[in-house]
């Protein structure tokens, strides 16, 4: 069972990384953020998103992903704010917002929903192939996003302004006012600390993850991931070559197929 004390219900690109750092500093650590999926200490948990996509009612899988965390914000956690609020009745909810829906939409389609601007069917098909080869676990998170929002945020036809407004309205309508803080990170420590009953730190409120920061992190992660996949494929190819040349004939095909199947399941 999750034991969350603070639930971030704001969408990605609403200052969620700043909130992530602030919550960690205030003692609500560890906090779950999308970066935990990329670089976190529990890479095995990311595979649970396949289970969640295939069975939306699998509460055990959802709880296993976020087990051990005291707080959560950003995608993918924000998508389950309602369940988290129900499972953790004492937890408080923070809805991070931008200055305007238009500002958020412009930021999102240039970062987390960058394919929203890709209108070419060929380019979009190429992106899908890459997502299957390199980003299988993130592909399932994207599929869950589409199911949660009722539209695909990466589809050029999706009205991101409406998506943002609808989401914020849903959070405000669902969470009692006594448990909810609508928060713009520009406001700094005071409203957040007052809401959580924490003293204001004597350090500046963290302001991170500008568009430039995001692109830098994305580039670093891509290089690491491509290198990792390249090494995996070389090792897989070497083992398959050895098996094909030295295993008894009747075991060759079975062995290679089992190895490929195991690789697909893990990745």
């Amino acid at each position: 069972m999750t034991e969350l004390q603070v639930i971030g219900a704001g969408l990605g690109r609403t200052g969620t990384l700043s909130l992530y750092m602030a919550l960690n500093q205030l003692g609500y650590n560890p906090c779950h953020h999308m970066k935990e999926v990329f670089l976190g200490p529990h890479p095995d948990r990311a595979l649970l998103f396949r289970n969640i996509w295939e069975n939306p009612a699998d509460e055990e899988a959802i709880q296993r992903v976020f087990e051990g965390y005291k707080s959560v914000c950003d995608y993918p956690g924000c998508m389950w704010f309602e369940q988290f609020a129900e499972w953790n009745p004492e937890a408080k909810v923070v809805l991070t917002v931008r200055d305007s829906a238009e500002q958020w939409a412009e930021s999102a389609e240039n970062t987390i929903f960058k394919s929203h601007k890709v209108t070419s069917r060929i380019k979009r098909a190429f992106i899908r192939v890459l997502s299957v080869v390199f980003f299988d676990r993130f592909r399932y998170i994207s599929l869950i996003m589409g199911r949660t929002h009722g539209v695909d945020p990466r589809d050029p036809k999706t009205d991101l302004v409406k998506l943002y407004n609808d989401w914020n309205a849903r959070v405000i309508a669902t969470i009692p006012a006594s448990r909810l803080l609508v928060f713009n990170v520009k406001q700094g420590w005071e409203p957040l600390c007052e809401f959580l009953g924490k003293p204001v730190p004597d350090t500046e409120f963290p302001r991170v993850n500008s568009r430039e920061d995001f692109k830098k992190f994305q580039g670093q992660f891509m290089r690491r991931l491509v290198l990792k996949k390249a090494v995996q494929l070389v090792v897989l190819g070497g083992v398959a070559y050895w098996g094909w040349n030295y295993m008894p004939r009747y075991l060759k095909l079975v062995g290679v197929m089992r190895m490929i199947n195991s690789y697909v399941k893990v990745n």
Side-chain angles (χ1 to χ4, degrees):
M1 176 68 73
T2 58
E3 297 181 353
L4 298 173
Q5 298 175 36
V6 181
I7 302 163
L11 300 177
R13 302 308 297 170
T14 58
T16 50
L17 187 58
S18 293
L19 178 64
Y20 164 83
M21 296 183 68
L23 291 175
N24 277 310
Q25 187 172 338
L26 291 174
Y28 299 103
N29 57 299
C31 177
H32 193 283
H33 179 277
M34 179 62 93
K35 69 178 297 183
E36 297 287 306
V37 179
F38 281 86
L39 305 173
H42 308 293
D44 55 308
R45 295 186 186 180
L47 301 178
L48 292 168
F49 290 114
R50 178 183 298 178
N51 297 8
I52 298 170
W53 165 248
E54 294 173 349
N55 182 11
D58 190 351
E59 294 184 355
E60 182 181 352
I62 298 172
Q63 293 186 17
R64 284 181 60 194
V65 171
F66 300 96
E67 183 181 5
Y69 289 92
K70 291 184 180 179
S71 59
V72 62
C73 63
D74 195 61
Y75 285 116
C78 66
M79 295 189 288
W80 294 287
F81 78 91
E82 291 152 314
Q83 290 93 325
F84 290 151
E86 179 182 347
W87 297 336
N88 305 272
E90 301 301 318
K92 295 189 174 182
V93 181
V94 179
L95 174 62
T96 43
V97 297
R98 295 290 290 263
D99 292 341
S100 70
E102 290 75 17
Q103 183 190 59
W104 175 82
E106 194 273 335
S107 173
E109 75 170 3
N110 281 284
T111 50
I112 59 176
F113 300 146
K114 195 167 184 178
S115 60
H116 184 269
K117 299 175 69 175
V118 179
T119 56
S120 167
R121 290 185 179 181
I122 296 177
K123 289 183 178 180
R124 291 182 64 80
F126 180 68
I127 291 173
R128 290 193 187 98
V129 171
L130 287 180
S131 72
V132 172
V133 176
F134 292 107
F135 305 104
D136 193 47
R137 64 193 61 178
F138 303 108
R139 180 168 65 95
Y140 285 104
I141 292 176
S142 296
L143 290 170
I144 297 169
M145 280 185 192
R147 181 167 62 199
T148 301
H149 291 300
V151 291
D152 182 359
R154 291 171 171 77
D155 190 328
K157 297 178 182 178
T158 297
D159 184 344
L160 291 180
V161 170
K162 184 177 186 302
L163 184 152
Y164 173 86
N165 286 329
D166 288 349
W167 181 261
N168 289 350
R170 173 177 168 180
V171 174
I172 293 171
T174 303
I175 304 299
S178 59
R179 294 182 67 185
L180 178 65
L181 173 67
V182 180
F183 178 60
N184 189 318
V185 294
K186 289 183 177 180
Q187 296 174 278
W189 285 117
E190 284 73 15
L192 181 63
C193 290
E194 181 180 357
F195 177 67
L196 298 176
K198 294 284 187 177
V200 176
D202 56 5
T203 57
E204 290 188 8
F205 188 86
R207 303 185 188 282
V208 292
N209 207 23
S210 64
R211 192 173 305 178
E212 291 70 27
D213 292 335
F214 178 89
K215 291 180 178 179
K216 181 179 179 181
F217 169 78
Q218 188 179 51
Q220 292 173 342
F221 176 76
M222 280 289 294
R223 287 190 290 273
R224 289 176 56 182
L225 182 63
V226 170
L227 178 61
K228 176 183 175 181
K229 291 293 183 180
V231 171
Q232 289 176 343
L233 291 174
V234 168
V235 172
L236 181 65
V239 173
Y241 175 81
W242 178 88
W244 190 259
N245 284 277
Y246 296 100
M247 288 174 63
R249 288 187 176 182
Y250 69 90
L251 290 177
K252 287 180 180 179
L253 185 58
V254 174
V256 171
M257 291 304 296
R258 283 181 176 176
M259 183 170 53
I260 293 174
N261 185 53
S262 298
Y263 178 81
V264 171
K265 284 184 177 179
V266 171
N267 293 276

